[in-house]
């Protein structure tokens, strides 16, 4: 069933942007057909009634099935080729990430002007909205403005991890996650196509990040992001089973 993030005006749900066009002309949803509306992180089973050239949304009842993780995952994704970056945003959203921070590091081949990034951020937010609705999430992950790796700060309630393939005696991601119950959030930093400079990893370690291995193979940046978020999300959801 189609999910839509909606606004609320005078106690009625209002579709966002051009979602009415999507409902009527793309998905060809019929009059009084059911859709799920998401408002304020809660989901409602609704019916859409076409009224003249507009519509009215009737709420049937709230849906209680939460699809959100009980801990936040923050992805610091260093800049990689545009289409790959878009792919990471879409897949990380489906996998349950709660925040994505586009991160500039020394070997990022893509250069951005942090003060002129609004169009990019708006495009990322559109990808996030669509991926959130498709994966029936109750929230849309947030996307921060671009930051430099050296400016990453780790909060006390966050387990900080940096995926690094160069050290031999590293803990696996799974082993590091065994301490996750002491934290409310987990942050993971993923390097670019050319990898991290050693001093970047050392800086992150100084800031409290733990170096983790994702296995004995060298993964592409986008593969490393998705693999690590899938592992973290699975660990969170299966914790205590
Ligand atoms: N150093 C890599 C090479 O030799 O090709 C280039 C970096 S890799 C393509 C991109 C990023 O994915 C790395 O910076 C790291 O963050 C992550 N990554 C890839 N494979 C990994 C592994 N086996 N363990 C931990 N992180 C890995």
């Amino acid at each position: 069933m189609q999910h839509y993030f909606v606004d609320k005006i005078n106690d009625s749900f209002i579709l966002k942007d051009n979602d009415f066009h999507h409902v009527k002309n793309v998905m060809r949803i019929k009059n009084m057909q059911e859709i799920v509306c998401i408002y304020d992180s809660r989901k409602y089973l609704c019916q859409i009634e076409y009224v003249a050239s507009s519509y009215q949304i009737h709420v049937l009842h709230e849906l209680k099935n939460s699809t959100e993780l009980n801990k936040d995952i923050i992805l610091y994704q260093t800049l990689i080729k545009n289409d790959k970056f878009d792919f990471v945003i879409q897949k990380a959203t489906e996998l349950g990430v709660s925040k994505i921070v586009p991160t500039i590091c020394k070997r990022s081949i893509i250069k951005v002007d942090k003060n002129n990034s609004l169009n990019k951020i708006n495009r990322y937010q559109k990808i996030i909205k669509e991926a959130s609705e498709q994966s029936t999430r109750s929230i849309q992950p947030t996307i921060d403005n671009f930051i430099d790796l050296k400016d990453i700060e780790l909060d006390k309630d966050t387990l900080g991890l940096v995926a690094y393939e160069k050290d031999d005696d590293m803990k696996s991601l799974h082993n590091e996650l065994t301490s996750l119950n002491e934290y409310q959030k987990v942050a993971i930093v993923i390097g670019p196509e050319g990898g991290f400079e050693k001093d970047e990893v050392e800086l992150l370690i100084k800031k409290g990040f733990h170096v983790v291995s994702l296995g004995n193979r060298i993964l592409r940046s986008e593969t490393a992001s998705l693999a690590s978020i899938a592992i973290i999300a699975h660990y969170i959801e299966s914790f205590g089973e």
Side-chain angles (χ1 to χ4, degrees):
M1 189 178 297
Q2 278 306 113
H3 284 57
Y4 292 96
F5 287 92
V6 296
D7 292 318
K8 198 174 200 176
I9 301 175
N10 304 331
D11 239 8
S12 296
F13 284 158
I14 305 294
L15 292 166
K16 286 178 180 284
D17 312 323
N18 57 356
D19 279 348
F20 179 41
H21 163 73
H22 186 262
V23 165
K24 195 159 187 197
N25 305 318
V26 176
M27 301 311 295
R28 298 189 182 285
I29 289 174
K30 293 185 183 47
N31 185 41
M32 299 310 280
Q33 191 174 331
E34 290 177 349
I35 58 173
V36 173
C37 291
I38 309 153
Y39 179 75
D40 194 18
S41 308
R42 304 169 87 154
K43 292 181 193 171
Y44 301 86
L45 183 65
C46 301
Q47 276 176 316
I48 185 160
E49 180 184 5
Y50 296 128
V51 180
S53 60
S54 185
Y55 65 91
Q56 198 173 351
I57 292 176
H58 304 286
V59 177
L60 299 178
H61 58 80
E62 183 175 349
L63 295 169
K64 294 293 183 198
N65 65 323
S66 173
T67 49
E68 295 306 317
L69 299 168
N70 63 16
K71 290 190 187 288
D72 286 345
I73 302 177
I74 303 163
L75 169 63
Y76 289 92
Q77 177 60 51
T78 53
L79 300 192
I80 54 180
K81 288 196 188 83
N82 288 342
D83 57 333
K84 302 261 189 282
F85 197 88
D86 294 357
F87 176 80
V88 168
I89 291 179
Q90 184 188 61
K91 300 309 170 198
T93 297
E94 291 172 48
L95 285 164
V97 76
S98 50
K99 177 157 83 166
I100 300 170
V101 186
T103 303
I104 303 163
C105 68
K106 290 179 182 168
R107 293 187 195 162
S108 292
I109 41 180
I110 301 288
K111 300 300 172 210
V112 282
D113 170 3
K114 283 186 283 187
N115 305 317
N116 185 13
S117 57
L118 196 56
N119 288 344
K120 274 184 182 284
I121 298 294
N122 287 342
R123 188 160 59 81
Y124 296 157
Q125 281 167 338
K126 193 167 175 307
I127 294 169
I128 285 175
K129 177 175 180 293
E130 287 162 358
S132 301
E133 289 169 341
Q134 176 276 323
S135 54
T136 70
R137 298 213 37 195
S138 310
I139 60 122
Q140 294 179 61
T142 55
I143 184 136
D144 278 9
N145 195 5
F146 295 82
I147 63 159
D148 292 308
L149 183 137
K150 63 179 174 43
D151 295 329
I152 293 177
E153 288 310 327
L154 192 58
D155 294 335
K156 287 222 177 328
D157 67 349
T158 305
L159 171 62
L161 306 171
V162 48
Y164 191 49
E165 69 291 352
K166 287 269 193 275
D167 286 358
D168 298 333
D169 56 346
M170 274 184 310
K171 266 192 177 179
S172 73
L173 171 54
H174 187 272
N175 279 347
E176 274 302 342
L177 289 173
T178 51
S179 65
L180 184 54
N181 57 332
E182 299 155 30
Y183 300 89
Q184 186 41 43
K185 300 176 189 165
V186 53
I188 184 145
V189 191
I190 302 288
E193 294 93 340
F196 291 117
E197 298 270 359
K198 184 84 177 139
D199 64 342
E200 288 177 320
V201 178
E202 284 159 0
L203 175 66
L204 289 170
I205 292 169
K206 253 194 224 122
K207 288 173 180 270
F209 282 81
H210 303 260
V211 179
V212 290
S213 165
L214 298 176
N216 298 327
R217 291 152 302 286
I218 299 290
L219 309 177
R220 290 178 189 275
S221 184
E222 61 272 25
T223 313
S225 297
L226 305 187
S228 47
I229 292 167
I231 293 165
I232 296 168
H234 178 70
Y235 187 91
I236 293 170
E237 290 194 310
S238 47
F239 192 71
E241 261 181 2

